Amino acid sequence: MKKIRIMLMMFALLLTGCSTSSQKEEIKVLTPNGAPALSLLSVYKDVNEKGEIKIVEGSDLISSELVKKESSYDIIIAPINLGCQLLNKGKTDYKLAGVITWGNLYLVENPSAKTDKVVAFGEQAVPGKMLNLTKKSIDFIKDKDVQFYNAVSDVQPQIINGNVRYALMAEPAATVTIAKAKQNNVNLKIVADLQDIYQKQEKTKVQGYPQAAIFVKDKKKVQNILSQVDTFTNQEALQDNNQIVTMVNEIGVQTFGVPNAEIALKTWEKQNIHYKDAIDVKEDIQSLLKQFGITLSDDMLAS
């Protein structure tokens, strides 16, 4: 009997050791700053204790890691058209696990401008595609030509200075621009929500359109993180959004690429940060991808 008890204790210790090892498994995440990075608020500290969440500006590193055969990242958040284009061409080993942001594009107006010009950014990316697709439903710009700039930061001075009347902007940049203009006694306002317009046009299930997506190597390995992000973005952040300010301040505003925690909170709803498993929103994903000439197939989805 004594030997049996000893053997059972040793077996229990072995199980505990395996569990601890599993919990300490390193996970590495690569994400753009802004809304995609903010989606990771609830897992940021835990992941960084054992692995890494690397937040970058722009998509150069993201593109190179998606195509790298030996990339060390378990999760890469990227524009959905970028990742799916690579998947479609067989140029990445990552699979589409889910969608994390559903559009953050708004049309801002400067009523005091002496011109009716329209400016935007990202002509060949999601912003440009969405504006060209939805402008037919926006009476005051549907017949106007659009001048495109490289980035939303290039658009900002044009609308503040009154060089143009309408500017396509992303949140939180739109709110920051409106506040900055007000300091100079210029009153800007949001006059169109492209996410709402797109849903009405395309009759999609989810308001908006798939924008930033989560690509993974092994979905089972990162399922716990995906579940936490799901719970936070779809439940916890909605029930008690004050924790957004607390978390951003604790981790550091500069980490996420937002001016301050209050802006992160104020624009949270307009950033449309809601995790959805790709399998559950296949139709919405395909509706967006067809704008880029990409066909979604089941073997592109992580299982």
Side-chain angles (χ1 to χ4, degrees):
M1 184 65 70
K2 185 176 181 181
K3 287 183 178 180
I4 294 173
R5 284 201 301 268
I6 292 171
M7 288 177 67
L8 288 172
M9 288 173 66
M10 290 176 67
F11 183 64
L13 285 170
L14 280 171
L15 287 178
T16 304
C18 291
S19 175
T20 303
S21 173
S22 174
Q23 289 173 2
K24 290 185 177 179
E25 188 172 27
E26 289 187 3
I27 301 293
K28 293 188 68 177
V29 183
L30 178 63
T31 179
N33 61 8
L38 287 170
S39 73
L40 302 173
L41 274 173
S42 63
V43 298
Y44 187 87
K45 287 185 176 180
D46 287 343
V47 171
N48 275 301
E49 279 181 8
K50 308 154 192 172
E52 176 192 21
I53 292 181
K54 186 176 181 65
I55 300 173
V56 297
E57 187 172 357
S59 60
D60 289 347
L61 180 60
I62 288 168
S63 298
S64 64
E65 289 295 334
L66 279 170
V67 300
K68 188 186 292 185
K69 287 293 182 184
E70 302 300 326
S71 176
S72 62
Y73 291 102
D74 302 287
I75 295 173
I76 295 181
I77 301 181
I80 194 167
N81 58 301
L82 170 62
C84 288
Q85 184 74 272
L86 293 173
L87 267 167
N88 221 219
K89 294 180 178 180
K91 292 185 177 181
T92 180
D93 293 330
Y94 287 87
K95 299 283 188 178
L96 175 61
V99 178
I100 191 60
T101 66
W102 292 84
N104 61 343
L105 297 171
Y106 300 86
L107 206 60
V108 177
E109 180 187 12
N110 184 338
S112 61
K114 296 180 180 179
T115 171
D116 279 341
K117 288 183 179 179
V118 183
V119 295
F121 67 101
E123 185 172 11
Q124 299 303 320
V126 171
K129 293 285 186 181
M130 283 301 103
L131 182 60
N132 288 330
L133 184 66
T134 59
K135 66 179 292 200
K136 62 187 178 185
S137 298
I138 307 173
D139 290 339
F140 49 86
I141 68 162
K142 67 180 180 180
D143 297 322
K144 300 187 188 311
D145 293 330
V146 178
Q147 181 179 357
F148 282 93
Y149 287 83
N150 290 329
V152 69
S153 57
D154 299 322
V155 169
Q156 185 186 68
Q158 297 299 321
I159 189 78
I160 291 178
N161 296 334
N163 297 333
V164 300
R165 180 155 188 153
Y166 302 103
L168 179 69
M169 305 200 78
E171 285 289 16
T175 294
V176 172
T177 300
I178 291 171
K180 185 175 181 180
K182 194 169 185 179
Q183 293 174 353
N184 298 320
N185 297 316
V186 177
N187 293 313
L188 306 182
K189 60 181 180 178
I190 291 176
V191 290
D193 178 337
L194 266 61
Q195 292 66 231
D196 184 51
I197 294 169
Y198 178 85
Q199 184 185 29
K200 289 174 180 175
Q201 280 189 187
E202 303 300 314
K203 296 178 172 56
T204 56
K205 293 179 182 178
V206 181
Q207 183 183 28
Y209 44 86
Q211 191 171 23
I214 295 179
F215 296 88
V216 303
K217 284 186 173 182
D218 181 350
K219 191 175 182 181
K220 291 182 176 65
K221 180 180 178 181
V222 299
Q223 187 57 59
N224 184 48
I225 291 174
L226 298 181
S227 297
Q228 289 182 67
V229 170
D230 183 351
T231 300
F232 179 73
T233 59
N234 291 308
Q235 298 177 40
E236 294 173 357
L238 305 179
Q239 294 164 359
D240 178 18
N241 57 19
N242 286 324
Q243 62 184 310
I244 295 170
V245 172
T246 302
M247 289 178 172
V248 171
N249 281 329
E250 285 179 353
I251 297 167
V253 172
Q254 68 285 350
T255 302
F256 299 101
V258 292
N260 54 61
E262 286 68 29
I263 287 291
L265 172 60
K266 186 177 181 179
T267 61
W268 183 269
E269 185 176 346
K270 288 182 180 178
Q271 291 186 71
N272 287 312
I273 303 171
H274 303 287
Y275 178 80
K276 299 290 182 184
D277 194 284
I279 294 172
D280 296 331
V281 288
K282 282 172 59 177
E283 291 181 5
D284 285 4
I285 293 171
Q286 186 54 61
S287 180
L288 182 279
L289 292 181
K290 73 179 181 182
Q291 306 302 324
F292 294 89
I294 302 170
T295 300
L296 180 70
S297 58
D298 287 343
D299 62 358
M300 294 165 64
L301 304 179
S303 58

